[in-house]
Amino acid sequence: MSVVPNPGNGKITVPELLRRKAPAENSQKIVCLTAYDYPTARLLDEAGVDVILVGDSVAMVALGYDSTLPVTLDEMIHHARAVRRGTKRALLVADMPFGSYHSDTAESLRNAVRFVKEASVEAVKVEGGERRLELIARLTEAEIPVMGHVGLTPQSVNALGGYRVQGKTTDSAEQLLRDARAVEAAGAFAVVLEAVPRELAAQITRELRIPTIGIGAGPDCDGQILVVHDLLGLTFDHTPKFARQYANVAALISSAVRSYCEDVRSGAFPSDSESYHSGSTAKKDEPVKISIC
Ligand code: KIV
């Protein structure tokens, strides 16, 4: 059997992301976004996003919870399967939800394997630094690439007492550095730095051999990630200052639906041309095109 290590089809792989870390002047930044369903994943993938994360932020932005804690492993796998169907080129990463990797390592490994078997994800993400050393090493040893996540880790909201910028004092900056180093030493292929001062994120980025992916961590990271609903303007609450809004999809949806309500109430929808007619000369029933992708 001939083995083609790099088929050159543009598919983003873990080794390809590690190469992007190369200190070359023209090394391209890694573009990451979250997605939770098929159409969004497909649009992101076709637009050239490098990494699609099925984030547990789905709990807040799509399921209406006020934290990421309630979303279950089965729900995450359900979303990951939909995103898988829309993703061809990007690397697909899934967040392990709260509670799915917090007891023993064997159970955590079984849960990570479910993502690979049932949703064909290519990597999983876990929150936490030094505390996750053993887990990250075990998953990596089992051939499941791991993305780390340090700084503001939303699954720790109760322990942290809220969502706050991390690493602002000397002590917490040193802890964050230790966390990032631990994630790398354990074998993670990349690490998300969330809500940390730009200067600290730059220092971590310089020190690590794996790529750093920033969210609220300034422009010096090797890549950036945002929650897609924040970027699209499809949220209801206050968004953090780092979440640049590129569109106002909430306003678009609202206006389209209001127009539809008006048209149905006034009888302007549907029109005659949007209706089927009886008595046509066709011998068979007219085929109905349903909205499929
Ligand atoms: O769940 C999520 O969306 C995340 C990213 C914001 C990094 O963890």
Side-chain angles (χ1 to χ4, degrees):
M1 188 179 82
S2 76
V3 177
V4 185
N6 180 2
N9 59 4
K11 168 80 187 113
I12 304 292
T13 60
V14 165
E16 158 65 14
L17 289 184
L18 285 165
R19 278 193 291 276
R20 298 267 191 102
K21 178 72 184 187
E25 286 287 296
N26 57 0
S27 167
Q28 265 197 350
K29 294 268 188 186
I30 301 167
V31 183
C32 318
L33 272 177
T34 65
Y36 320 105
D37 57 41
Y38 170 82
T40 312
R42 188 163 162 179
L43 291 168
L44 266 47
D45 195 59
E46 289 174 2
V49 168
D50 298 314
V51 176
I52 296 184
L53 171 71
V54 187
D56 61 353
S57 49
V58 67
M60 300 175 79
V61 300
L63 302 179
Y65 291 113
D66 61 6
S67 80
T68 59
L69 302 180
V71 70
T72 65
L73 179 63
D74 285 340
E75 287 169 331
M76 288 300 296
I77 290 174
H78 168 84
H79 285 280
R81 286 165 66 95
V83 171
R84 171 75 283 167
R85 292 190 279 271
T87 307
K88 287 197 168 72
R89 174 187 170 272
L91 185 85
L92 180 58
V93 184
D95 249 339
M96 293 197 66
F98 177 69
S100 70
Y101 59 99
H102 298 79
S103 46
D104 62 290
T105 308
E107 192 198 334
S108 309
L109 174 60
R110 271 195 298 278
N111 291 337
V113 166
R114 281 194 63 196
F115 272 114
V116 177
K117 290 264 192 203
E118 297 175 35
S120 303
V121 308
E122 293 156 295
V124 295
K125 176 163 82 57
V126 296
E127 294 185 5
E130 286 188 313
R131 296 196 290 284
R132 303 286 171 245
L133 242 168
E134 189 194 329
L135 171 67
I136 296 175
R138 183 70 190 95
L139 297 180
T140 309
E141 185 192 63
E143 317 296 351
I144 302 177
V146 178
M147 179 179 268
H149 183 158
V150 300
L152 171 55
T153 46
Q155 291 175 11
S156 324
V157 60
N158 292 329
L160 295 173
Y163 301 107
R164 294 202 180 80
V165 179
Q166 303 293 304
K168 288 191 84 159
T169 65
T170 314
D171 281 354
S172 73
E174 279 168 5
Q175 180 59 53
L176 233 156
L177 256 173
R178 284 197 293 276
D179 284 335
R181 287 185 192 128
V183 164
E184 171 174 275
F189 72 90
V191 61
V192 170
L193 307 178
E194 178 161 355
V196 304
R198 173 181 180 170
E199 297 73 18
L200 180 58
Q203 184 187 351
I204 295 173
T205 302
R206 278 194 305 274
E207 273 202 26
L208 297 193
R209 281 167 289 110
I210 58 173
T212 58
I213 310 294
I215 172 161
D220 307 303
C221 298
D222 300 300
Q224 296 291 329
I225 185 160
L226 281 179
V227 169
V228 73
H229 286 57
D230 289 342
L231 173 151
L232 294 176
L234 191 47
T235 53
F236 297 97
D237 300 323
H238 151 88
T239 49
K241 77 166 178 182
F242 59 74
R244 188 182 296 179
Q245 190 183 318
Y246 285 82
N248 192 345
V249 170
L252 274 177
I253 293 179
S254 201
S255 141
V257 173
R258 278 170 210 278
S259 300
Y260 170 71
C261 291
E262 259 174 50
D263 287 355
V264 171
R265 289 184 183 125
S266 71
F269 175 84
S271 65
D272 185 61
S273 67
E274 287 157 329
S275 311
Y276 298 111
H277 293 278
S278 54
S280 89
T281 51
K283 294 208 175 64
K284 284 200 232 145
D285 285 339
E286 195 174 339
V288 175
K289 285 204 176 110
I290 54 168
S291 305
I292 51 167
C293 313

